[in-house]
Amino acid sequence: MVTTLTLLYSSTRTFFFFFLVHMRDPNNQLHIIKNLKIAVNNIITHPPQPGAIRKLLNDVVSVSQPAEGLVANVITAGDYDLNISATTPWFESYRECFLQSMPASDHEFLNHYVACMLVVSSSEPEPVEQFLKLSQEQHRIQHSSEYLYPKWFIPNTLKYYVLLHDVSTGEEQRADSIYEEMKQRYGTQGCYLLKINSRVSNRGMDEQIPDPWSQYLQKNTIQNQDCYEDCPYTVISNKNTDHLISDGLDSEIKDGLSNNFKTHPLQLDHPSGSLDSTDYVKATASLQDSKKSNSGTPHGACLTLTDHDRIRQFIQEFTFRGLLPHIEKTIRQLNDQLISRKGLSRSLFSATKKWFSGSKVPEKSINELKNTSGLLYPPEAPELQIRKMADLCFLVQHYELAYSCYHTAKKDFLNDQAMLYAAGALEMAAVSAFLQPGAPRPYPAHYMETAIQTYRDICKNMVLAERCVLLSAEILKSQSKYSEAAALLIRLTSEDSDLRSALLLEQAAHCFINMKSPMVRKFAFHMILAGHRFSKAGQKKHALRCYCQAMQVYKGKGWSLAEDHINFTIGRQSFTLRQLDNAVSAFRHILINDSKQPPAQQGAFLREYLYVYKNVTQLSPDGPLPQLPLPYINSSATRVFFGHDRRPAEGEKQAATHVSLDQEYDSESSQQWKELEEQVVSVINKGIIPSNFQPTQFCLNRYSDNSRFPLAVIEEPVTVEVSFRNPLKVPLLLTDLSLLWKFQPKDFNAKHDGETKELVRKTSFFNPNQTLGMSLHLEYVVKCMF
């Protein structure tokens, strides 16, 4: 939560400044504020559109990916060694952008503006008159019924008048004179003279000063709207400065003001997009050309280090002399009003209730209460004043006083059955109790649970319910209550937002793995659910990452159906992301072992694999052949036959369709030739067969001595019979198969047996264009000849 200022000048961006300051509470006790965060925004008179917010959140998650080369966090749980992302920057970016993109609402004041800077250039002909016009315009925007947005904290908004003087071109004496006039009109604590641009911009200068706005310009914030494109702004242009005034100026203010659409010097080079509807003012072609020409330009090129110090001093002066005294005074006034009003009306109301009821009314459960849809408190209602004081105390880190006010407001809202207001008070009371220094009271988690249930079930407001869940989950995780945090995150998943559900499921998975006793299987299960929702949300990279992390748990554990599903999804996501090698590898794993999938699912797996590989071969035609695991080769049934007298024509292949080796090889004739060979050897050796005699083998199979080199006749064919087995339930028909082979001539008389000349010939064993069809045989023989 931050203190918000409106800026009726200059920037379309949000800047944050941090301070260590102190102030006094209503009891005149000194209260120290650490790291006070001040957000300076441009005034926007239209709330962000829900559709545009969803697109921005989707883009924020999409552009945030794990850094390459980042060392993963290794978690050992039992026999699992899991590589898990140590951080989730996409979720943190989403959470920050979500909280910043929430529009201001009527039941709370945390996003309401508390002050307004009115900035005029010293080069204006009549700067004091321009201040008057800006002040009148701010008053009209705040108090006119024409504008429902933005929301303002109190009717008497602090106005701080800033005279901006360009040192490089302006007259310093004239600026000082105008500033003296401002001090007499607005007081020394209500105005400031800011001098900047002390040097001429020169890109060729050796002096390199860092961009002073880089740490404040945030690409993924709600204010990162290109106001020149999508917001209805009028640009006031003069010699030296461009002023932005929100639309709705009176005609007399607009008179004499040019309407030049120029790229603002503090505009991001690559804005993340606009949050306003396209029904607003659309960009012109000249604007797009201007934006392209200015891309890459550093900001603050004319600022020296002295200018940097001046800007810091300006913000400090505004904070110490303007903002904090204003907040301190407002808290005292609210406190005095509440004390006076509660002393009369509240005590009388409470006494009346006691007289008529006779006893204390028991507090109703959340299910018994009904939302009073028509209830809308007037701005001066005591209940809203309590809530306003609580929010203001919360913004200045006075959490103890804020908790007391939230707790009181909660009771009043519940009595009136104003459930939206009650849920907001419960939510902030829980956060205030947690943030109190020294933790004087435990975190009331039941407050948050009641607020979430009220927002979701009674008020039907999922945005506020999500905010509660995000805050409460972080609080519970900080207290190592991972089980409660996971249950809370899972409870908010729904069908209305796939992106939100995916992020919450992933965070729940991380809660399960970070427990004292890690719950590995729950982690994997919820990562798969998160991956599914990421995929539905169009976040393919995050979906692939989730499935890959879950695969570490399921791989090789006997859960074949789950493993097949994960591999199939990884293959599809990898193919979508053009990671073709990973896609082929994932699909190949599905077909390696005997699958328990039904025939229809197996057929789908195989078709996906062939489709992916077809795309791979189109990208790299000369690449390696696929390692298709289907069908399996029955190595023990492979036979090789020598001595056939047929020869195919030169340069042709002889088809082996419907040909069996038994037709070519006669075992009886082979046995006769073996006996004749033994008789010839016996006669030559005088009736004795040598012990090292080995008859010629015409057929090599699993029963033959295959350690011997076979004897083949030159120019006679060698027939190879290969038996395949189909492990799937899907019938296959393989056509146009050829045998891969190579011939290695070897000189057995050479001394160095290891040095051989190799002659390699290859033909395609697997044709990528082969057809798959229906066959009645699950085991069959394919014969190839060469």
Side-chain angles (χ1 to χ4, degrees):
M1 305 301 176
V2 298
T3 302
T4 308
L5 314 176
T6 68
L7 183 64
L8 215 61
Y9 159 78
S10 83
S11 172
T12 63
R13 307 299 171 192
T14 303
F15 306 102
F16 297 103
F17 303 91
F18 301 88
F19 301 99
L20 176 62
V21 295
H22 64 271
M23 58 175 291
R24 294 191 178 274
D25 60 15
N27 297 324
N28 207 30
Q29 298 294 323
L30 192 65
H31 171 64
I32 298 177
I33 307 174
K34 299 179 180 179
N35 296 324
L36 176 64
K37 186 177 182 181
I38 299 177
V40 183
N41 304 328
N42 184 37
I43 188 171
I44 301 173
T45 57
H46 292 81
Q49 302 301 306
I53 291 178
R54 287 193 297 269
K55 183 181 184 304
L56 175 64
L57 294 175
N58 188 77
D59 293 343
V60 165
V61 176
S62 180
V63 300
S64 181
Q65 300 291 336
E68 295 183 3
L70 183 65
V71 179
N73 185 27
V74 179
I75 296 180
T76 302
D79 55 348
Y80 295 97
D81 290 324
L82 307 178
N83 292 326
I84 301 174
S85 302
T87 59
T88 53
W90 46 91
F91 172 74
E92 295 165 4
S93 298
Y94 171 88
R95 182 182 59 204
E96 180 181 0
C97 185
F98 170 81
L99 294 175
Q100 291 183 7
S101 66
M102 295 190 66
S105 54
D106 293 324
H107 76 285
E108 61 185 12
F109 303 91
L110 295 170
N111 290 335
H112 291 206
Y113 291 157
V114 297
C116 182
M117 288 183 183
L118 308 177
V119 185
V120 173
S121 172
S122 61
S123 62
E124 285 284 346
E126 298 292 338
V128 178
E129 182 180 349
Q130 290 296 326
F131 277 124
L132 179 60
K133 292 180 180 180
L134 291 178
S135 179
Q136 292 173 350
E137 174 62 16
Q138 186 277 331
H139 185 273
R140 190 168 73 88
I141 292 176
Q142 178 176 356
H143 298 284
S144 174
S145 59
E146 179 183 356
Y147 296 95
L148 300 178
Y149 198 87
K151 306 291 184 181
W152 304 86
F153 212 101
I154 58 175
N156 186 22
T157 301
L158 171 66
K159 297 177 184 178
Y160 198 76
Y161 301 85
V162 180
L163 182 65
L164 188 63
H165 176 64
D166 192 334
V167 176
S168 61
T169 59
E171 299 178 6
E172 188 169 354
Q173 184 177 0
R174 181 175 183 271
D176 293 336
S177 175
I178 297 172
Y179 181 56
E180 290 297 328
E181 184 179 354
M182 290 172 57
K183 288 194 293 184
Q184 294 179 4
R185 181 183 294 265
Y186 305 116
T188 57
Q189 297 183 352
C191 58
Y192 193 86
L193 172 60
L194 177 60
K195 299 179 181 180
I196 58 174
N197 294 346
S198 299
R199 70 183 177 100
V200 179
S201 177
N202 188 352
R203 296 180 183 272
M205 294 180 62
D206 296 334
E207 181 184 5
Q208 296 291 335
I209 298 180
D211 186 346
W213 307 115
S214 59
Q215 58 180 323
Y216 304 116
L217 291 171
Q218 302 201 7
K219 294 184 179 182
N220 298 323
T221 179
I222 187 67
Q223 287 81 12
N224 283 356
Q225 307 174 55
D226 190 354
C227 68
Y228 305 98
E229 288 187 33
D230 302 308
C231 298
Y233 288 116
T234 300
V235 180
I236 306 175
S237 177
N238 56 48
K239 300 178 183 178
N240 304 312
T241 358
D242 290 339
H243 295 245
L244 299 183
I245 309 291
S246 76
D247 195 14
L249 295 176
D250 293 331
S251 58
E252 60 180 4
I253 299 179
K254 292 183 178 179
D255 291 339
L257 304 181
S258 64
N259 193 21
N260 298 329
F261 286 82
K262 297 181 179 179
T263 303
H264 194 273
L266 295 183
Q267 178 179 325
L268 285 179
D269 300 331
H270 302 284
S272 60
S274 170
L275 291 182
D276 286 328
S277 171
T278 54
D279 295 335
Y280 297 158
V281 179
K282 295 184 178 179
T284 61
S286 60
L287 170 62
Q288 297 296 335
D289 296 338
S290 176
K291 288 172 61 178
K292 292 179 181 178
S293 64
N294 284 278
S295 62
T297 303
H299 309 107
C302 295
L303 300 179
T304 63
L305 294 178
T306 303
D307 290 336
H308 294 185
D309 294 336
R310 288 172 179 169
I311 295 174
R312 295 189 186 95
Q313 185 178 0
F314 156 61
I315 295 297
Q316 290 177 358
E317 288 291 323
F318 164 75
T319 304
F320 297 150
R321 296 192 177 186
L323 180 62
L324 287 182
H326 174 72
I327 292 177
E328 183 177 334
K329 178 182 176 182
T330 303
I331 292 179
R332 289 180 179 274
Q333 290 177 350
L334 290 172
N335 185 65
D336 294 339
Q337 292 175 11
L338 293 175
I339 291 177
S340 61
R341 290 185 180 182
K342 287 184 65 176
L344 296 176
S345 60
R346 288 281 163 174
S347 60
L348 179 61
F349 177 72
S350 302
T352 306
K353 286 180 63 177
K354 290 181 180 180
W355 293 337
F356 284 94
S357 62
S359 61
K360 183 179 179 181
V361 179
E363 186 175 351
K364 297 181 179 180
S365 66
I366 191 65
N367 296 323
E368 299 177 66
L369 295 173
K370 297 182 180 180
N371 183 30
T372 307
S373 57
L375 178 60
L376 182 64
Y377 290 102
E380 65 277 1
E383 295 85 354
L384 284 190
Q385 301 305 313
I386 297 177
R387 174 63 199 250
K388 188 176 295 186
M389 180 176 173
D391 287 345
L392 204 53
C393 292
F394 184 88
L395 292 176
V396 295
Q397 304 176 13
H398 201 322
Y399 300 120
E400 184 176 357
L401 182 56
Y403 174 82
S404 177
C405 294
Y406 285 130
H407 194 271
T408 302
K410 177 259 302 183
K411 295 180 180 179
D412 296 337
F413 292 140
L414 287 176
N415 289 333
D416 296 336
Q417 294 196 27
M419 301 312 298
L420 179 63
Y421 294 87
L426 284 167
E427 174 189 5
M428 295 310 300
V431 177
S432 300
F434 171 74
L435 292 176
Q436 288 185 37
R441 54 173 57 88
Y443 169 63
H446 61 287
Y447 278 15
M448 274 294 193
E449 293 177 1
T450 304
I452 295 170
Q453 186 179 355
T454 304
Y455 282 140
R456 183 185 58 187
D457 301 334
I458 298 179
C459 303
K460 307 300 180 183
N461 193 322
M462 290 298 293
V463 174
L464 294 176
E466 181 179 356
R467 184 181 68 181
C468 281
V469 169
L470 294 177
L471 294 175
S472 185
E474 293 303 316
I475 293 173
L476 292 173
K477 285 191 290 185
S478 69
Q479 298 176 343
S480 299
K481 297 179 180 180
Y482 292 106
S483 179
E484 293 86 343
L488 190 64
L489 293 166
I490 296 171
R491 197 180 308 152
L492 198 68
T493 57
S494 60
E495 295 300 324
D496 63 317
S497 175
D498 290 314
L499 181 61
R500 181 187 69 232
S501 298
L503 291 166
L504 296 184
L505 286 169
E506 183 184 12
Q507 290 303 304
H510 281 275
C511 288
F512 287 125
I513 203 64
N514 285 312
M515 290 182 179
K516 188 175 182 180
S517 298
M519 306 179 74
V520 180
R521 289 192 292 270
K522 277 195 172 185
F523 161 78
F525 178 71
H526 286 85
M527 286 299 285
I528 290 177
L529 295 179
H532 175 67
R533 300 304 290 270
F534 271 128
S535 180
K536 291 180 64 178
Q539 300 284 346
K540 303 300 181 183
K541 291 184 179 180
H542 288 294
L544 178 60
R545 176 184 49 77
C546 289
Y547 276 101
C548 290
Q549 290 196 357
M551 190 61 180
Q552 300 177 88
V553 176
Y554 288 100
K555 187 175 182 179
K557 300 299 180 181
W559 297 325
S560 60
L561 295 179
E563 193 172 347
D564 287 349
H565 168 74
I566 297 174
N567 272 317
F568 178 72
T569 308
I570 290 176
R572 272 196 166 181
Q573 300 292 351
S574 299
F575 178 76
T576 304
L577 297 171
R578 309 309 297 168
Q579 300 176 10
L580 299 183
D581 292 338
N582 293 338
V584 170
S585 176
F587 280 116
R588 187 169 63 243
H589 280 294
I590 306 176
L591 306 173
I592 288 178
N593 299 317
D594 291 338
S595 176
K596 296 180 181 179
Q597 300 285 352
Q601 191 66 49
Q602 291 178 358
F605 288 162
L606 188 58
R607 285 192 298 271
E608 291 277 354
Y609 175 84
L610 295 176
Y611 178 77
V612 170
Y613 192 79
K614 182 178 180 181
N615 284 268
V616 174
T617 55
Q618 289 176 350
L619 293 178
S620 55
D622 300 331
L625 294 172
Q627 300 177 1
L628 182 65
L630 291 176
Y632 288 173
I633 297 178
N634 189 0
S635 301
S636 62
T638 302
R639 296 188 293 178
V640 181
F641 176 62
F642 302 91
H644 198 282
D645 56 354
R646 293 194 219 167
R647 291 194 301 271
E650 185 176 356
E652 296 180 359
K653 299 178 183 178
Q654 180 173 337
T657 306
H658 303 297
V659 176
S660 172
L661 191 61
D662 294 333
Q663 298 174 353
E664 311 295 329
Y665 173 65
D666 187 353
S667 59
E668 294 182 0
S669 298
S670 177
Q671 182 63 28
Q672 292 178 1
W673 280 107
K674 178 181 177 182
E675 293 174 357
L676 287 174
E677 187 179 7
E678 290 178 352
Q679 292 177 8
V680 171
V681 173
S682 177
V683 170
I684 294 175
N685 291 280
K686 299 178 181 182
I688 300 174
I689 300 177
S691 59
N692 59 350
F693 168 74
Q694 294 178 348
T696 303
Q697 297 185 101
F698 294 96
C699 183
L700 302 179
N701 52 40
R702 59 181 173 178
Y703 302 109
S704 60
D705 184 5
N706 299 321
S707 62
R708 297 164 45 196
F709 286 99
L711 180 63
V713 180
I714 296 177
E715 296 186 358
E716 286 191 357
V718 178
T719 304
V720 180
E721 183 185 68
V722 182
S723 176
F724 295 99
R725 181 177 65 87
N726 182 10
L728 300 182
K729 303 171 186 177
V730 181
L732 303 175
L733 176 62
L734 306 181
T735 60
D736 299 333
L737 295 182
S738 299
L739 185 67
L740 278 177
W741 63 279
K742 66 179 179 178
F743 174 66
Q744 284 184 291
K746 184 176 182 181
D747 185 4
F748 290 94
N749 296 322
K751 295 182 179 180
H752 303 286
D753 294 340
E755 297 179 1
T756 61
K757 297 181 180 180
E758 182 174 337
L759 175 63
V760 179
R761 294 181 182 178
K762 288 187 179 181
T763 59
S764 176
F765 175 67
F766 176 78
N767 189 345
N769 298 320
Q770 72 177 14
T771 59
L772 296 179
M774 303 296 294
S775 175
L776 297 177
H777 301 284
L778 294 181
E779 182 170 341
Y780 45 88
V781 174
V782 176
K783 179 180 176 183
C784 303
M785 300 184 64
F786 58 93

